[in-house]
Amino acid sequence: MSDLLVPFRFAGSLRRFFWGLVLACGLLLPRLSPAQVLDDSTKVLYGAKTTRVLREADILREQYEGRLIDTTLTNQMQARYWFHDSTFQQDLGNVGTASRRLLWEPNLELGARFGRNAFDKYVRNSATIPFYDTRSPFTFFRFIQSGAGEQVFELSYSRSLGKNFNVGLAYERFASNKSLQATSRREGLAEHSNVLLFARYQTQNDRYHALFSINTARHRVAEQGGIRYQPTDSLRPRALFEYELERVNLTQALNVDDRDEVRLTHTYRLLGKGLTAYHIFDWKRQFNKYSDERLVTDPLTRQLQFYPDTLLSSSLTNDRAEYRQLENTVGLMGHTPAVEYRLYGRYRDADLQAKSYFGRARNVLPTYSMHYAQLFVGGTASFRYRKLIAMEVAGELMPVITVNESKGKSEYWVRALARLGPVSGEFLSSSYSPTLTQQRFLGNHYSWNHSGTDDASNPRAYPALNPVQFKNTLVNQLTGRVAQKLGRHYVDASVSTVTISDLVYYSQDSVVTTNGVESTFRKDGIPLQLSATKVLLIGSLRHRFNLGKFFFDNQATATSGGSGEGLRIPGLVANGKVYYQNYLFKKALFGQIGAEVYYQSRFKGYSYSPSTQQFYVQNHFISRNFSVADVFLITDIKTVSVFLKVAYINQGFFDFGNGYFASPYYTGLPRRFQLGIRWQFFD
């Protein structure tokens, strides 16, 4: 791994800790395992049908029977499904790098939000982790490796200690090597490690249920700042595909993202299924640190390269921020075959502390802090008549925000859904405040304050750009959808119209008013609020069908209005897959062979600011339309599946050049071979 990642080599100790716990469970607790399942010939029958998966959403709907383990081959070879967010993403071209969702999605999280989401894709969401109901110990193993250094490793173990108690632990690791300005093919770029401890308990009479988890993640990525590029008559961006020979802007920059979370969800049935009380305790911490030990100044202009300026230290950058949040949710829920409801109240206590290095003495001093105490109320009510009619209303309200004894605006989201057979319609409206990072930031290269508080008492605060408190963003979205299976065909089509008012975004151009005179200057990545209303028209279509043993799965999303200031969304994003599927060797082996193509139309993609971990709107780089084609072979032998894949097999074909840009000045990985193994043990 890179020298930048050496101080954080904790994966070995975590693995030893993990295996120690696994060994302890295996040696000390075998007598507590439940009775074996036997057939008429007294052979042990453990398998996918004796292991069930439950999630928090199931418990909160009083559905305790669980679901079967996923043993399908679908999407195992697709890189989007290797991590914890399978949506289409814009990233920096490699595993472990910063990313953001490519297509429009409304925000339903109200109140205080840290706003450092560049590495969310790689972190487990504690509200969606799987819990198990096992009749035998269950072990899941997954390993993926590519010739370009991409690596995915996951190992989890779960077993029941008696009939009503199940415990488990899991470890996963994502890693990648540098593809730009790499001195060797094994020079590390990113490393992510996650350790999860989880447990599920229910009483004998099924009246009380509890889910508990401790989730901790450590993410390290060497930031390169993209390819160093100076526009000339003889050089164009489409020629920057020498990969490891290309020079980058940053060589000593590192981003750290540490997260810890403790979550307990438990329910108690009061009056049958008609009335159940529940409580959710959730404590989380997120620590971000950006450091650069080498700030380079141009010898001719004496201006800082890559960064806009230095505000705190001219020799190095070390900006830190730690966000802590404690939430307690209390509610009531119940359901009948036709009606389901849930009402709740939630209290949040959030705290943000920021620090930075000052001067050449490397003194770490606080720069600013923010504290929030917030109350939310919400609920959902739904009605269903067989499979023909369904109606649902859900919403949440935060009536008042308290910030240092000053009051802000209330926030809310409300959603109404109606379905008649295959046709459904949905209306969504939400009003939410900017993230804490959008409201306030003070580091070595950027400073702004849109929180409505005064920085005059802080001697280390610098004048903020546009020191105006941001308004809430208002979103209204109307969606119509048709989902229907017709013989071998399944069609899911939707059309949405979205209006967005007072959008807060990060931009490359900032307007400053001095003595009543407006002036525009360039400082990439500054948050602004859009005065005009954005209008989006989104059409989405997915079509799945088969002709004999040939299967087709195609989907596309077209967006109108996603260009211009504030938002950048490609006009068309499409993905198509075709494969042949059949049994071989007297049904001893099951396999697929096929191809998959991803297509993205040209657009002015977001640039990335590593020191703030934010993607921002830019106008100087147009990402050409491109397609990435993969061919794969995947086989399944009982509980083991193996896939072989050639990714980006079409590199250099047609008029797409020798590569593509995942983000401005960040190239996607070249053609490479990938190997993956998944193994599930049920005893």
Side-chain angles (χ1 to χ4, degrees):
M1 297 295 290
S2 168
D3 291 340
L4 290 172
L5 302 178
V6 170
F8 306 101
R9 288 182 176 275
F10 53 88
S13 60
L14 288 176
R15 283 195 290 270
R16 290 191 290 272
F17 169 74
F18 172 79
W19 282 111
L21 287 177
V22 172
L23 184 61
C25 291
L27 296 177
L28 301 178
L29 304 173
R31 296 186 179 182
L32 296 177
S33 58
Q36 293 179 338
V37 181
L38 307 176
D39 67 1
D40 294 336
S41 62
T42 69
K43 293 181 180 179
V44 178
L45 292 181
Y46 293 134
K49 294 183 179 180
T50 65
T51 301
R52 295 274 177 165
V53 179
L54 297 95
R55 301 181 190 273
E56 183 180 291
D58 300 320
I59 299 298
L60 294 180
R61 300 187 67 177
E62 298 186 277
Q63 297 177 351
Y64 307 123
E65 63 276 9
R67 296 176 173 82
L68 292 175
I69 291 285
D70 182 12
T71 59
T72 63
L73 302 180
T74 306
N75 298 322
Q76 283 190 44
M77 73 295 296
Q78 172 53 259
R80 286 192 294 118
Y81 294 90
W82 296 350
F83 312 107
H84 300 293
D85 188 343
S86 60
T87 60
F88 293 110
Q89 303 257 337
Q90 177 190 337
D91 58 24
L92 305 186
N94 211 331
V95 171
T97 58
S99 67
R100 71 181 309 276
R101 293 187 176 182
L102 189 64
L103 301 175
W104 163 258
E105 289 191 18
N107 171 57
L108 298 183
E109 187 177 355
L110 307 181
R113 310 179 310 283
F114 189 18
R116 307 287 182 94
N117 308 112
F119 306 111
D120 284 3
K121 171 182 175 180
Y122 312 102
V123 181
R124 294 182 189 267
N125 183 350
S126 295
T128 61
I129 62 175
F131 296 83
Y132 296 93
D133 182 2
T134 63
R135 297 187 181 183
S136 63
F138 170 66
T139 304
F140 177 88
F141 169 77
R142 181 174 63 137
F143 178 75
I144 300 168
Q145 180 71 56
S146 89
E150 302 163 283
Q151 188 180 92
V152 175
F153 175 85
E154 181 180 359
L155 182 64
S156 65
Y157 176 84
S158 176
R159 70 176 301 147
S160 293
L161 307 180
K163 183 178 180 180
N164 301 314
F165 186 41
N166 184 278
V167 298
L169 45 88
Y171 171 77
E172 66 181 3
R173 179 180 183 269
F174 309 134
S176 63
N177 293 336
K178 291 181 179 178
S179 61
L180 300 175
Q181 193 172 325
T183 56
S184 71
R185 292 185 178 272
R186 295 185 180 182
E187 187 175 358
L189 174 69
E191 181 175 345
H192 174 93
S193 294
N194 172 259
V195 176
L196 172 67
L197 174 66
F198 57 94
R200 182 188 63 84
Y201 173 76
Q202 66 186 53
T203 56
Q204 191 70 29
N205 59 7
D206 227 20
R207 198 164 189 173
Y208 176 78
H209 292 260
L211 305 176
F212 176 76
S213 64
I214 300 176
N215 185 15
T216 179
R218 300 293 181 264
H219 193 93
R220 308 288 184 267
V221 58
E223 297 286 6
Q224 296 186 289
I227 297 173
R228 187 183 301 176
Y229 169 68
Q230 296 295 332
T232 65
D233 294 334
S234 61
L235 182 64
R236 293 183 297 171
R238 65 178 301 180
L240 301 177
F241 295 110
E242 296 296 332
Y243 298 100
E244 67 272 6
L245 300 180
E246 298 289 354
R247 294 192 304 165
V248 296
N249 287 297
L250 303 175
T251 59
Q252 296 294 321
L254 178 70
N255 247 322
V256 173
D257 189 307
D258 292 346
R259 307 193 191 192
D260 302 291
E261 186 169 5
V262 178
R263 189 176 181 92
L264 169 65
T265 301
H266 49 157
T267 67
Y268 185 78
R269 186 179 298 167
L270 301 174
L271 299 173
K273 293 185 177 181
L275 186 63
T276 298
Y278 73 94
H279 170 243
I280 301 176
F281 169 88
D282 186 78
W283 175 87
K284 64 178 62 175
R285 165 190 173 269
Q286 182 178 350
F287 172 78
N288 283 83
K289 183 178 76 171
Y290 177 76
S291 61
D292 190 347
E293 301 287 336
R294 186 185 179 193
L295 301 182
V296 180
T297 302
D298 189 292
L300 297 178
T301 64
R302 297 187 179 277
Q303 292 183 347
L304 190 66
Q305 293 183 3
F306 186 76
Y307 302 107
D309 199 358
T310 56
L311 304 177
L312 308 176
S313 173
S314 59
S315 59
L316 78 159
T317 296
N318 193 306
D319 297 333
R320 310 175 182 188
E322 184 175 41
Y323 176 73
R324 294 174 180 263
Q325 176 180 292
L326 175 63
E327 286 189 341
N328 278 281
T329 304
V330 178
L332 295 172
M333 62 182 180
H335 73 273
T336 67
V339 179
E340 180 178 333
Y341 72 92
R342 180 151 53 102
L343 301 173
Y344 63 87
R346 181 171 71 251
Y347 179 77
R348 175 185 300 166
D349 188 85
D351 184 76
L352 173 62
Q353 301 287 337
K355 299 179 180 179
S356 291
Y357 273 12
F358 282 80
R360 296 181 177 273
R362 301 195 177 192
N363 296 319
V364 181
L365 299 174
T367 53
Y368 67 93
S369 63
M370 306 173 76
H371 181 77
Y372 287 78
Q374 301 172 332
L375 179 66
F376 306 82
V377 292
T380 179
S382 61
F383 167 79
R384 289 176 176 82
Y385 177 71
R386 297 180 180 178
K387 295 184 178 180
L388 180 63
I389 300 175
M391 293 182 291
E392 180 178 304
V393 177
E396 185 174 278
L397 171 68
M398 189 194 74
V400 174
I401 307 176
T402 302
V403 186
N404 297 333
E405 301 181 356
S406 65
K407 294 184 178 180
K409 297 180 176 64
S410 62
E411 304 178 36
Y412 71 87
W413 66 262
V414 61
R415 179 174 56 199
L417 170 70
R419 179 177 60 83
L420 178 61
V423 181
S424 63
E426 179 183 84
F427 174 74
L428 170 67
S429 180
S430 64
S431 175
Y432 54 89
S433 62
T435 66
L436 301 189
T437 303
Q438 288 172 335
Q439 294 180 44
R440 199 171 185 185
F441 185 89
L442 174 55
N444 195 31
H445 304 293
Y446 295 91
S447 174
W448 61 76
N449 185 356
H450 299 282
S451 64
T453 59
D454 188 7
D455 273 337
S457 60
N458 186 353
R460 288 177 288 273
Y462 285 77
L465 299 173
N466 290 338
V468 178
Q469 185 175 10
F470 284 145
K471 304 175 184 177
N472 283 3
T473 298
L474 176 64
V475 175
N476 289 307
Q477 179 171 320
L478 182 63
T479 303
R481 180 183 178 189
V482 177
Q484 181 65 42
K485 185 177 182 181
L486 301 171
R488 297 179 176 180
H489 297 263
Y490 176 79
V491 177
D492 187 343
S494 67
V495 176
S496 300
T497 176
V498 186
T499 60
I500 312 168
S501 302
D502 297 314
L503 175 68
V504 177
Y505 65 103
Y506 292 91
S507 177
Q508 70 170 9
D509 296 323
S510 299
V511 179
V512 177
T513 302
T514 305
N515 298 325
V517 179
E518 289 188 352
S519 59
T520 303
F521 68 97
R522 179 84 167 269
K523 192 168 186 178
D524 297 344
I526 295 296
L528 297 176
Q529 186 155 48
L530 191 65
S531 57
T533 298
K534 299 287 292 186
V535 179
L536 304 178
L537 181 62
I538 305 171
S540 180
L541 174 65
R542 184 171 187 181
H543 180 210
R544 303 198 306 264
F545 69 100
N546 71 290
L547 297 174
K549 292 181 171 54
F550 287 91
F551 292 79
F552 302 82
D553 187 352
N554 304 300
Q555 60 179 312
T557 300
T559 304
S560 174
S563 59
E565 197 59 36
L567 275 180
R568 296 296 163 84
I569 302 174
L572 178 63
V573 174
N575 196 85
K577 181 167 64 175
V578 57
Y579 58 92
Y580 175 81
Q581 176 176 286
N582 200 5
Y583 284 97
L584 297 173
F585 307 115
K586 296 182 180 181
K587 295 189 176 182
L589 183 149
F590 182 75
Q592 296 177 356
I593 182 171
E596 187 167 18
V597 179
Y598 171 81
Y599 174 81
Q600 181 178 303
S601 62
R602 60 186 288 152
F603 82 121
K604 295 180 180 178
Y606 290 87
S607 284
Y608 176 65
S609 172
S611 66
T612 60
Q613 298 99 49
Q614 304 299 329
F615 286 84
Y616 62 90
V617 170
Q618 56 82 32
N619 294 308
H620 62 274
F621 189 100
I622 298 178
S623 298
R624 300 178 71 244
N625 60 307
F626 66 87
S627 63
V628 176
D630 307 329
V631 294
F632 62 86
L633 169 67
I634 182 169
T635 62
D636 186 36
I637 307 174
K638 294 184 178 180
T639 60
V640 182
S641 62
V642 179
F643 77 80
L644 305 174
K645 172 180 163 184
V646 179
Y648 197 17
I649 194 172
N650 61 317
Q651 181 187 14
F653 290 2
F654 308 111
D655 189 32
F656 292 102
N658 197 40
Y660 67 95
F661 286 96
S663 290
Y665 304 113
Y666 289 91
T667 55
L669 291 175
R671 184 187 301 116
R672 60 208 181 276
F673 178 77
Q674 296 173 333
L675 166 68
I677 301 173
R678 186 186 71 174
W679 201 332
Q680 299 183 95
F681 304 87
F682 296 97
D683 52 27

